[in-house]
Short mmCIF file of all heavy atoms in Angstrom, two decimals:
data_model
loop_
_atom_site.label_atom_id
_atom_site.label_comp_id
_atom_site.label_asym_id
_atom_site.label_seq_id
_atom_site.Cartn_x
_atom_site.Cartn_y
_atom_site.Cartn_z
N MET T 605 -75.34 34.83 12.32
CA MET T 605 -75.28 34.10 11.04
C MET T 605 -73.85 34.06 10.49
O MET T 605 -73.07 34.96 10.71
CB MET T 605 -76.20 34.80 10.02
CG MET T 605 -77.67 34.68 10.35
SD MET T 605 -78.24 32.98 10.30
CE MET T 605 -78.22 32.71 8.51
N ILE T 606 -73.57 33.01 9.81
CA ILE T 606 -72.24 32.88 9.20
C ILE T 606 -72.33 33.30 7.74
O ILE T 606 -73.20 32.83 7.01
CB ILE T 606 -71.75 31.43 9.27
CG1 ILE T 606 -71.66 30.99 10.73
CG2 ILE T 606 -70.40 31.28 8.56
CD1 ILE T 606 -71.31 29.53 10.90
N SER T 607 -71.47 34.18 7.32
CA SER T 607 -71.48 34.63 5.94
C SER T 607 -70.93 33.56 5.01
O SER T 607 -70.23 32.64 5.43
CB SER T 607 -70.64 35.90 5.79
OG SER T 607 -69.28 35.56 5.87
N ALA T 608 -71.27 33.66 3.75
CA ALA T 608 -70.80 32.69 2.76
C ALA T 608 -69.28 32.68 2.71
O ALA T 608 -68.65 31.65 2.53
CB ALA T 608 -71.37 33.03 1.39
N ASN T 609 -68.70 33.84 2.90
CA ASN T 609 -67.24 33.94 2.86
C ASN T 609 -66.60 33.15 3.99
O ASN T 609 -65.61 32.45 3.81
CB ASN T 609 -66.83 35.42 2.95
CG ASN T 609 -65.33 35.60 2.72
OD1 ASN T 609 -64.78 34.94 1.85
ND2 ASN T 609 -64.69 36.44 3.49
N GLN T 610 -67.21 33.22 5.16
CA GLN T 610 -66.66 32.48 6.31
C GLN T 610 -66.79 30.98 6.09
O GLN T 610 -65.91 30.21 6.44
CB GLN T 610 -67.40 32.88 7.59
CG GLN T 610 -66.97 34.26 8.09
CD GLN T 610 -67.76 34.69 9.31
OE1 GLN T 610 -68.98 34.66 9.28
NE2 GLN T 610 -67.08 35.07 10.36
N VAL T 611 -67.89 30.56 5.51
CA VAL T 611 -68.09 29.14 5.21
C VAL T 611 -67.00 28.67 4.25
O VAL T 611 -66.43 27.61 4.42
CB VAL T 611 -69.47 28.89 4.60
CG1 VAL T 611 -69.58 27.44 4.11
CG2 VAL T 611 -70.55 29.18 5.63
N GLY T 612 -66.73 29.48 3.26
CA GLY T 612 -65.70 29.12 2.29
C GLY T 612 -64.36 28.91 2.96
O GLY T 612 -63.65 27.96 2.65
N LYS T 613 -64.02 29.76 3.90
CA LYS T 613 -62.75 29.62 4.60
C LYS T 613 -62.73 28.34 5.44
O LYS T 613 -61.75 27.63 5.50
CB LYS T 613 -62.51 30.83 5.50
CG LYS T 613 -62.13 32.07 4.71
CD LYS T 613 -61.84 33.23 5.67
CE LYS T 613 -61.42 34.47 4.88
NZ LYS T 613 -61.17 35.61 5.76
N ALA T 614 -63.85 28.06 6.07
CA ALA T 614 -63.93 26.86 6.90
C ALA T 614 -63.72 25.62 6.06
O ALA T 614 -63.05 24.69 6.45
CB ALA T 614 -65.29 26.80 7.61
N ILE T 615 -64.32 25.61 4.88
CA ILE T 615 -64.18 24.47 3.97
C ILE T 615 -62.73 24.33 3.55
O ILE T 615 -62.19 23.24 3.51
CB ILE T 615 -65.08 24.66 2.73
CG1 ILE T 615 -66.55 24.51 3.16
CG2 ILE T 615 -64.74 23.62 1.66
CD1 ILE T 615 -67.54 24.83 2.06
N ALA T 616 -62.08 25.43 3.28
CA ALA T 616 -60.69 25.38 2.85
C ALA T 616 -59.82 24.76 3.93
O ALA T 616 -58.93 23.97 3.65
CB ALA T 616 -60.20 26.79 2.53
N VAL T 617 -60.12 25.07 5.17
CA VAL T 617 -59.35 24.50 6.28
C VAL T 617 -59.59 23.00 6.34
O VAL T 617 -58.67 22.21 6.49
CB VAL T 617 -59.78 25.15 7.62
CG1 VAL T 617 -59.15 24.38 8.79
CG2 VAL T 617 -59.34 26.60 7.64
N HIS T 618 -60.85 22.61 6.19
CA HIS T 618 -61.18 21.18 6.22
C HIS T 618 -60.45 20.44 5.10
O HIS T 618 -60.00 19.33 5.27
CB HIS T 618 -62.69 20.98 6.06
CG HIS T 618 -63.42 21.03 7.35
ND1 HIS T 618 -63.35 20.02 8.28
CD2 HIS T 618 -64.24 21.96 7.87
CE1 HIS T 618 -64.10 20.34 9.33
NE2 HIS T 618 -64.66 21.51 9.11
N GLU T 619 -60.38 21.09 3.96
CA GLU T 619 -59.77 20.47 2.79
C GLU T 619 -58.36 19.98 3.09
O GLU T 619 -57.95 18.93 2.64
CB GLU T 619 -59.73 21.49 1.66
CG GLU T 619 -59.57 20.86 0.30
CD GLU T 619 -60.84 20.16 -0.15
OE1 GLU T 619 -61.94 20.63 0.18
OE2 GLU T 619 -60.71 19.14 -0.81
N GLU T 620 -57.65 20.73 3.91
CA GLU T 620 -56.27 20.36 4.22
C GLU T 620 -56.18 19.50 5.47
O GLU T 620 -55.15 18.93 5.76
CB GLU T 620 -55.44 21.63 4.42
CG GLU T 620 -55.42 22.52 3.19
CD GLU T 620 -54.70 23.83 3.48
OE1 GLU T 620 -54.32 24.06 4.64
OE2 GLU T 620 -54.54 24.62 2.55
N GLY T 621 -57.28 19.42 6.19
CA GLY T 621 -57.20 18.75 7.49
C GLY T 621 -57.78 17.36 7.54
O GLY T 621 -58.00 16.83 8.62
N VAL T 622 -58.07 16.75 6.39
CA VAL T 622 -58.61 15.40 6.41
C VAL T 622 -57.55 14.43 6.92
O VAL T 622 -56.49 14.30 6.34
CB VAL T 622 -59.07 14.98 5.00
CG1 VAL T 622 -59.53 13.53 5.01
CG2 VAL T 622 -60.17 15.89 4.51
N SER T 623 -57.84 13.75 8.00
CA SER T 623 -56.85 12.83 8.55
C SER T 623 -57.43 11.45 8.84
O SER T 623 -56.72 10.54 9.22
CB SER T 623 -56.25 13.41 9.83
OG SER T 623 -57.27 13.63 10.79
N GLU T 624 -58.75 11.34 8.65
CA GLU T 624 -59.37 10.04 8.92
C GLU T 624 -60.64 9.87 8.11
O GLU T 624 -61.22 10.85 7.65
CB GLU T 624 -59.67 9.89 10.40
CG GLU T 624 -60.63 10.95 10.90
CD GLU T 624 -60.80 10.89 12.41
OE1 GLU T 624 -59.89 10.40 13.09
OE2 GLU T 624 -61.86 11.32 12.89
N CYS T 625 -61.05 8.63 7.92
CA CYS T 625 -62.26 8.33 7.18
C CYS T 625 -63.47 8.94 7.87
O CYS T 625 -63.59 8.86 9.09
CB CYS T 625 -62.42 6.82 7.07
SG CYS T 625 -64.00 6.33 6.36
N ALA T 626 -64.35 9.53 7.08
CA ALA T 626 -65.54 10.16 7.65
C ALA T 626 -66.55 9.13 8.11
O ALA T 626 -67.48 9.45 8.84
CB ALA T 626 -66.16 11.09 6.61
N HIS T 627 -66.40 7.90 7.68
CA HIS T 627 -67.39 6.87 7.99
C HIS T 627 -66.96 5.98 9.16
O HIS T 627 -67.75 5.66 10.03
CB HIS T 627 -67.63 5.99 6.76
CG HIS T 627 -68.09 6.78 5.57
ND1 HIS T 627 -69.33 7.37 5.50
CD2 HIS T 627 -67.46 7.09 4.41
CE1 HIS T 627 -69.43 8.00 4.34
NE2 HIS T 627 -68.32 7.85 3.67
N CYS T 628 -65.70 5.58 9.17
CA CYS T 628 -65.26 4.66 10.22
C CYS T 628 -64.05 5.20 10.98
O CYS T 628 -63.50 4.51 11.83
CB CYS T 628 -64.93 3.30 9.62
SG CYS T 628 -63.48 3.31 8.54
N CYS T 629 -63.63 6.41 10.65
CA CYS T 629 -62.52 7.06 11.35
C CYS T 629 -61.18 6.34 11.15
O CYS T 629 -60.25 6.56 11.91
CB CYS T 629 -62.82 7.19 12.85
SG CYS T 629 -64.21 8.28 13.18
N SER T 630 -61.11 5.50 10.13
CA SER T 630 -59.83 4.85 9.84
C SER T 630 -58.86 5.84 9.23
O SER T 630 -59.26 6.79 8.56
CB SER T 630 -60.06 3.70 8.86
OG SER T 630 -58.82 3.20 8.40
N HIS T 631 -57.60 5.62 9.48
CA HIS T 631 -56.57 6.48 8.87
C HIS T 631 -56.02 5.86 7.60
O HIS T 631 -55.12 6.41 6.97
CB HIS T 631 -55.44 6.73 9.88
CG HIS T 631 -55.87 7.58 11.04
ND1 HIS T 631 -55.24 8.75 11.38
CD2 HIS T 631 -56.89 7.44 11.91
CE1 HIS T 631 -55.85 9.29 12.43
NE2 HIS T 631 -56.85 8.51 12.77
N GLU T 632 -56.55 4.71 7.24
CA GLU T 632 -56.09 4.01 6.06
C GLU T 632 -56.95 4.39 4.86
O GLU T 632 -57.97 3.76 4.59
CB GLU T 632 -56.16 2.49 6.29
CG GLU T 632 -55.26 2.02 7.40
CD GLU T 632 -53.79 2.16 7.04
OE1 GLU T 632 -53.44 1.90 5.88
OE2 GLU T 632 -53.01 2.56 7.91
N PHE T 633 -56.57 5.43 4.16
CA PHE T 633 -57.32 5.81 2.97
C PHE T 633 -56.38 6.40 1.94
O PHE T 633 -55.26 6.82 2.27
CB PHE T 633 -58.44 6.79 3.30
CG PHE T 633 -57.95 8.07 3.94
CD1 PHE T 633 -57.50 9.11 3.14
CD2 PHE T 633 -57.97 8.23 5.31
CE1 PHE T 633 -57.05 10.30 3.71
CE2 PHE T 633 -57.53 9.42 5.90
CZ PHE T 633 -57.07 10.45 5.09
N THR T 634 -56.81 6.38 0.70
CA THR T 634 -55.99 6.91 -0.38
C THR T 634 -56.75 7.97 -1.15
O THR T 634 -57.98 8.02 -1.10
CB THR T 634 -55.59 5.79 -1.35
OG1 THR T 634 -56.76 5.21 -1.88
CG2 THR T 634 -54.77 4.74 -0.64
N LYS T 635 -56.03 8.77 -1.87
CA LYS T 635 -56.68 9.76 -2.72
C LYS T 635 -57.42 9.04 -3.84
O LYS T 635 -56.95 8.04 -4.37
CB LYS T 635 -55.64 10.73 -3.30
CG LYS T 635 -55.09 11.65 -2.22
CD LYS T 635 -54.20 12.71 -2.83
CE LYS T 635 -53.73 13.69 -1.76
NZ LYS T 635 -52.89 14.76 -2.33
N TYR T 636 -58.59 9.56 -4.17
CA TYR T 636 -59.45 8.86 -5.12
C TYR T 636 -60.04 9.87 -6.10
O TYR T 636 -61.24 10.00 -6.23
CB TYR T 636 -60.55 8.13 -4.33
CG TYR T 636 -61.30 7.10 -5.12
CD1 TYR T 636 -60.69 5.93 -5.54
CD2 TYR T 636 -62.66 7.28 -5.41
CE1 TYR T 636 -61.39 4.97 -6.24
CE2 TYR T 636 -63.37 6.33 -6.11
CZ TYR T 636 -62.73 5.17 -6.52
OH TYR T 636 -63.42 4.22 -7.20
N GLY T 637 -59.18 10.60 -6.76
CA GLY T 637 -59.63 11.59 -7.71
C GLY T 637 -60.24 12.80 -7.03
O GLY T 637 -60.01 13.04 -5.85
N THR T 638 -61.02 13.54 -7.77
CA THR T 638 -61.66 14.72 -7.20
C THR T 638 -63.14 14.73 -7.53
O THR T 638 -63.60 14.04 -8.43
CB THR T 638 -61.03 16.00 -7.76
OG1 THR T 638 -61.15 15.99 -9.18
CG2 THR T 638 -59.56 16.08 -7.39
N THR T 639 -63.89 15.53 -6.79
CA THR T 639 -65.31 15.66 -7.06
C THR T 639 -65.52 16.61 -8.24
O THR T 639 -64.57 17.23 -8.72
CB THR T 639 -66.04 16.24 -5.84
OG1 THR T 639 -65.62 17.59 -5.66
CG2 THR T 639 -65.72 15.43 -4.59
N VAL T 640 -66.76 16.73 -8.68
CA VAL T 640 -67.04 17.61 -9.81
C VAL T 640 -66.70 19.06 -9.47
O VAL T 640 -66.51 19.88 -10.36
CB VAL T 640 -68.53 17.52 -10.22
CG1 VAL T 640 -68.81 16.16 -10.84
CG2 VAL T 640 -69.45 17.77 -9.04
N ARG T 641 -66.63 19.36 -8.19
CA ARG T 641 -66.29 20.72 -7.77
C ARG T 641 -64.79 20.89 -7.59
O ARG T 641 -64.30 21.93 -7.15
CB ARG T 641 -67.01 21.07 -6.47
CG ARG T 641 -68.51 21.19 -6.66
CD ARG T 641 -69.17 21.65 -5.39
NE ARG T 641 -70.61 21.82 -5.56
CZ ARG T 641 -71.42 22.24 -4.60
NH1 ARG T 641 -70.92 22.52 -3.41
NH2 ARG T 641 -72.70 22.37 -4.82
N GLY T 642 -64.04 19.84 -7.87
CA GLY T 642 -62.59 19.95 -7.77
C GLY T 642 -62.06 19.69 -6.37
O GLY T 642 -60.90 19.93 -6.10
N GLN T 643 -62.92 19.18 -5.49
CA GLN T 643 -62.45 18.89 -4.14
C GLN T 643 -61.77 17.52 -4.12
O GLN T 643 -62.18 16.61 -4.83
CB GLN T 643 -63.64 18.88 -3.17
CG GLN T 643 -64.29 20.24 -3.06
CD GLN T 643 -65.68 20.15 -2.44
OE1 GLN T 643 -66.33 19.12 -2.52
NE2 GLN T 643 -66.11 21.23 -1.84
N GLN T 644 -60.77 17.41 -3.30
CA GLN T 644 -60.07 16.13 -3.19
C GLN T 644 -61.01 15.07 -2.65
O GLN T 644 -61.76 15.29 -1.70
CB GLN T 644 -58.87 16.27 -2.25
CG GLN T 644 -58.06 15.00 -2.13
CD GLN T 644 -57.47 14.56 -3.46
OE1 GLN T 644 -56.73 15.31 -4.07
NE2 GLN T 644 -57.81 13.38 -3.93
N ARG T 645 -60.98 13.92 -3.27
CA ARG T 645 -61.84 12.83 -2.85
C ARG T 645 -60.96 11.68 -2.35
O ARG T 645 -59.85 11.49 -2.84
CB ARG T 645 -62.64 12.38 -4.07
CG ARG T 645 -63.85 11.52 -3.78
CD ARG T 645 -64.57 11.29 -5.10
NE ARG T 645 -65.62 10.31 -4.98
CZ ARG T 645 -66.07 9.59 -6.02
NH1 ARG T 645 -65.55 9.75 -7.21
NH2 ARG T 645 -67.04 8.73 -5.85
N TYR T 646 -61.45 10.93 -1.39
CA TYR T 646 -60.66 9.85 -0.82
C TYR T 646 -61.44 8.55 -0.79
O TYR T 646 -62.67 8.56 -0.76
CB TYR T 646 -60.25 10.20 0.62
CG TYR T 646 -59.52 11.51 0.76
CD1 TYR T 646 -60.23 12.69 0.99
CD2 TYR T 646 -58.14 11.58 0.65
CE1 TYR T 646 -59.57 13.92 1.11
CE2 TYR T 646 -57.48 12.79 0.78
CZ TYR T 646 -58.19 13.94 1.00
OH TYR T 646 -57.54 15.13 1.12
N LYS T 647 -60.73 7.45 -0.78
CA LYS T 647 -61.38 6.16 -0.62
C LYS T 647 -60.75 5.44 0.56
O LYS T 647 -59.54 5.28 0.63
CB LYS T 647 -61.24 5.31 -1.89
CG LYS T 647 -61.97 3.98 -1.75
CD LYS T 647 -61.96 3.20 -3.05
CE LYS T 647 -62.77 1.92 -2.89
NZ LYS T 647 -62.80 1.13 -4.13
N CYS T 648 -61.60 5.00 1.47
CA CYS T 648 -61.13 4.34 2.67
C CYS T 648 -60.75 2.89 2.36
O CYS T 648 -61.48 2.19 1.68
CB CYS T 648 -62.23 4.39 3.73
SG CYS T 648 -61.78 3.54 5.24
N LYS T 649 -59.62 2.46 2.89
CA LYS T 649 -59.20 1.07 2.67
C LYS T 649 -59.91 0.12 3.62
O LYS T 649 -59.96 -1.07 3.40
CB LYS T 649 -57.68 0.95 2.88
CG LYS T 649 -56.87 1.67 1.83
CD LYS T 649 -55.38 1.47 2.11
CE LYS T 649 -54.55 2.19 1.06
NZ LYS T 649 -53.10 2.04 1.35
N THR T 650 -60.43 0.66 4.68
CA THR T 650 -61.06 -0.18 5.70
C THR T 650 -62.52 -0.49 5.36
O THR T 650 -62.94 -1.63 5.38
CB THR T 650 -60.99 0.50 7.07
OG1 THR T 650 -59.63 0.75 7.39
CG2 THR T 650 -61.62 -0.37 8.15
N CYS T 651 -63.28 0.55 5.01
CA CYS T 651 -64.70 0.33 4.74
C CYS T 651 -65.02 0.49 3.25
O CYS T 651 -66.16 0.32 2.83
CB CYS T 651 -65.57 1.28 5.57
SG CYS T 651 -65.40 3.02 5.13
N SER T 652 -64.00 0.81 2.44
CA SER T 652 -64.15 0.90 0.98
C SER T 652 -65.15 1.95 0.53
O SER T 652 -65.67 1.89 -0.57
CB SER T 652 -64.55 -0.46 0.41
OG SER T 652 -63.53 -1.40 0.64
N ARG T 653 -65.44 2.90 1.39
CA ARG T 653 -66.36 3.97 1.02
C ARG T 653 -65.56 5.21 0.64
O ARG T 653 -64.44 5.40 1.10
CB ARG T 653 -67.31 4.29 2.17
CG ARG T 653 -68.18 3.11 2.51
CD ARG T 653 -69.05 3.41 3.69
NE ARG T 653 -70.11 4.37 3.35
CZ ARG T 653 -71.05 4.76 4.21
NH1 ARG T 653 -71.06 4.30 5.45
NH2 ARG T 653 -71.97 5.60 3.84
N THR T 654 -66.16 6.03 -0.21
CA THR T 654 -65.48 7.26 -0.60
C THR T 654 -66.02 8.41 0.22
O THR T 654 -67.15 8.40 0.69
CB THR T 654 -65.68 7.56 -2.09
OG1 THR T 654 -67.07 7.67 -2.36
CG2 THR T 654 -65.09 6.45 -2.94
N PHE T 655 -65.19 9.40 0.37
CA PHE T 655 -65.61 10.58 1.13
C PHE T 655 -64.71 11.74 0.75
O PHE T 655 -63.70 11.58 0.08
CB PHE T 655 -65.51 10.31 2.64
CG PHE T 655 -64.11 10.02 3.11
CD1 PHE T 655 -63.34 11.03 3.65
CD2 PHE T 655 -63.58 8.74 3.01
CE1 PHE T 655 -62.04 10.78 4.09
CE2 PHE T 655 -62.29 8.48 3.44
CZ PHE T 655 -61.52 9.50 3.98
N ASN T 656 -65.12 12.94 1.16
CA ASN T 656 -64.25 14.10 0.99
C ASN T 656 -64.30 14.89 2.28
O ASN T 656 -64.90 14.45 3.26
CB ASN T 656 -64.68 14.94 -0.22
CG ASN T 656 -66.09 15.46 -0.09
OD1 ASN T 656 -66.50 15.88 1.00
ND2 ASN T 656 -66.85 15.42 -1.16
N SER T 657 -63.66 16.02 2.28
CA SER T 657 -63.53 16.78 3.51
C SER T 657 -64.86 17.30 4.05
O SER T 657 -64.94 17.74 5.17
CB SER T 657 -62.58 17.95 3.30
OG SER T 657 -63.08 18.79 2.28
N LEU T 658 -65.92 17.21 3.23
CA LEU T 658 -67.21 17.74 3.67
C LEU T 658 -68.14 16.65 4.15
O LEU T 658 -69.21 16.92 4.68
CB LEU T 658 -67.89 18.48 2.51
CG LEU T 658 -67.11 19.66 1.94
CD1 LEU T 658 -67.92 20.30 0.82
CD2 LEU T 658 -66.83 20.68 3.02
N THR T 659 -67.77 15.41 3.97
CA THR T 659 -68.68 14.30 4.26
C THR T 659 -69.18 14.32 5.69
O THR T 659 -70.33 14.02 5.96
CB THR T 659 -67.98 12.96 3.98
OG1 THR T 659 -67.55 12.96 2.63
CG2 THR T 659 -68.92 11.79 4.20
N CYS T 660 -68.32 14.68 6.62
CA CYS T 660 -68.70 14.57 8.03
C CYS T 660 -69.10 15.91 8.62
O CYS T 660 -69.18 16.05 9.81
CB CYS T 660 -67.57 13.96 8.84
SG CYS T 660 -66.07 14.93 8.79
N THR T 661 -69.39 16.90 7.79
CA THR T 661 -69.80 18.18 8.32
C THR T 661 -71.32 18.30 8.25
O THR T 661 -71.98 17.56 7.52
CB THR T 661 -69.19 19.33 7.50
OG1 THR T 661 -69.83 19.38 6.24
CG2 THR T 661 -67.70 19.13 7.32
N PRO T 662 -71.90 19.20 8.99
CA PRO T 662 -73.36 19.43 8.94
C PRO T 662 -73.84 19.77 7.54
O PRO T 662 -75.02 19.56 7.22
CB PRO T 662 -73.56 20.61 9.89
CG PRO T 662 -72.40 20.52 10.83
CD PRO T 662 -71.26 20.04 9.98
N LEU T 663 -72.96 20.24 6.69
CA LEU T 663 -73.35 20.63 5.34
C LEU T 663 -73.78 19.43 4.51
O LEU T 663 -74.54 19.56 3.57
CB LEU T 663 -72.18 21.33 4.64
CG LEU T 663 -71.77 22.67 5.24
CD1 LEU T 663 -70.53 23.19 4.52
CD2 LEU T 663 -72.89 23.68 5.15
N SER T 664 -73.32 18.27 4.85
CA SER T 664 -73.62 17.08 4.06
C SER T 664 -75.04 16.59 4.31
O SER T 664 -75.63 15.91 3.47
CB SER T 664 -72.62 15.98 4.37
OG SER T 664 -72.84 15.50 5.68
N GLY T 665 -75.58 16.88 5.48
CA GLY T 665 -76.95 16.46 5.78
C GLY T 665 -77.10 14.96 5.84
O GLY T 665 -78.14 14.42 5.55
N MET T 666 -76.05 14.25 6.25
CA MET T 666 -76.10 12.80 6.27
C MET T 666 -76.26 12.24 7.68
O MET T 666 -76.13 11.06 7.92
CB MET T 666 -74.83 12.23 5.66
CG MET T 666 -74.77 12.44 4.16
SD MET T 666 -73.28 11.75 3.44
CE MET T 666 -73.53 10.01 3.75
N LYS T 667 -76.55 13.09 8.63
CA LYS T 667 -76.71 12.60 10.00
C LYS T 667 -78.09 11.99 10.20
O LYS T 667 -79.07 12.66 10.45
CB LYS T 667 -76.52 13.75 10.99
CG LYS T 667 -75.06 14.04 11.24
CD LYS T 667 -74.87 14.57 12.65
CE LYS T 667 -73.40 14.57 13.04
NZ LYS T 667 -73.20 14.91 14.44
N LYS T 668 -78.15 10.68 10.09
CA LYS T 668 -79.44 10.00 10.26
C LYS T 668 -79.42 9.08 11.47
O LYS T 668 -80.38 8.40 11.75
CB LYS T 668 -79.75 9.17 9.01
CG LYS T 668 -80.05 10.04 7.80
CD LYS T 668 -80.42 9.17 6.61
CE LYS T 668 -80.78 10.05 5.40
NZ LYS T 668 -81.12 9.22 4.23
N GLN T 669 -78.29 9.05 12.15
CA GLN T 669 -78.18 8.11 13.26
C GLN T 669 -78.67 8.71 14.58
O GLN T 669 -78.77 8.01 15.58
CB GLN T 669 -76.72 7.68 13.42
CG GLN T 669 -76.25 6.86 12.21
CD GLN T 669 -74.84 6.34 12.40
OE1 GLN T 669 -74.14 6.77 13.31
NE2 GLN T 669 -74.41 5.43 11.56
N ASP T 670 -78.95 10.00 14.59
CA ASP T 670 -79.49 10.60 15.79
C ASP T 670 -80.91 10.11 16.03
O ASP T 670 -81.71 10.04 15.11
CB ASP T 670 -79.48 12.13 15.66
CG ASP T 670 -78.05 12.65 15.64
OD1 ASP T 670 -77.13 11.88 15.96
OD2 ASP T 670 -77.87 13.83 15.29
N LYS T 671 -81.21 9.77 17.24
CA LYS T 671 -82.55 9.29 17.59
C LYS T 671 -82.89 7.96 16.89
O LYS T 671 -83.51 7.99 15.84
CB LYS T 671 -83.60 10.34 17.25
CG LYS T 671 -83.38 11.61 18.05
CD LYS T 671 -84.42 12.64 17.67
CE LYS T 671 -84.16 13.94 18.44
NZ LYS T 671 -85.06 15.02 18.01
ZN1 ZN N 2111 -63.77 4.01 6.44
#
């Protein structure tokens, strides 16, 4: 099992490592304020969707394209 502390560290790493859109993998995005939790939020210039460093992780629970 992963402890809550380890998860927190993983998130912190992701926070600094955002390099592409979570939806279309475009590198054309700009900062778009922050979330209610203070996380950096981004808006993609290609697909016009917003995302943050957690959007593409299992924590988001947005994987519906499997099967
Ligand atoms: Zn995009």
Side-chain angles (χ1 to χ4, degrees):
M605 292 295 288
I606 300 174
S607 74
N609 188 40
Q610 285 177 307
V611 172
K613 286 183 178 178
I615 290 173
V617 170
H618 273 288
E619 200 73 34
E620 300 175 355
V622 176
S623 59
E624 60 187 25
C625 172
H627 303 291
C628 68
C629 295
S630 170
H631 292 236
E632 297 292 321
F633 59 84
T634 59
K635 289 187 176 181
Y636 194 68
T638 57
T639 68
V640 291
R641 292 185 178 181
Q643 295 163 335
Q644 183 61 58
R645 196 175 171 205
Y646 305 90
K647 183 174 183 179
C648 178
K649 292 181 180 178
T650 302
C651 67
S652 296
R653 297 177 71 177
T654 58
F655 62 96
N656 61 40
S657 60
L658 301 181
T659 302
C660 61
T661 72
L663 294 175
S664 70
M666 289 181 65
K667 279 211 168 187
K668 291 183 178 179
Q669 294 184 348
D670 292 348
K671 298 178 182 175

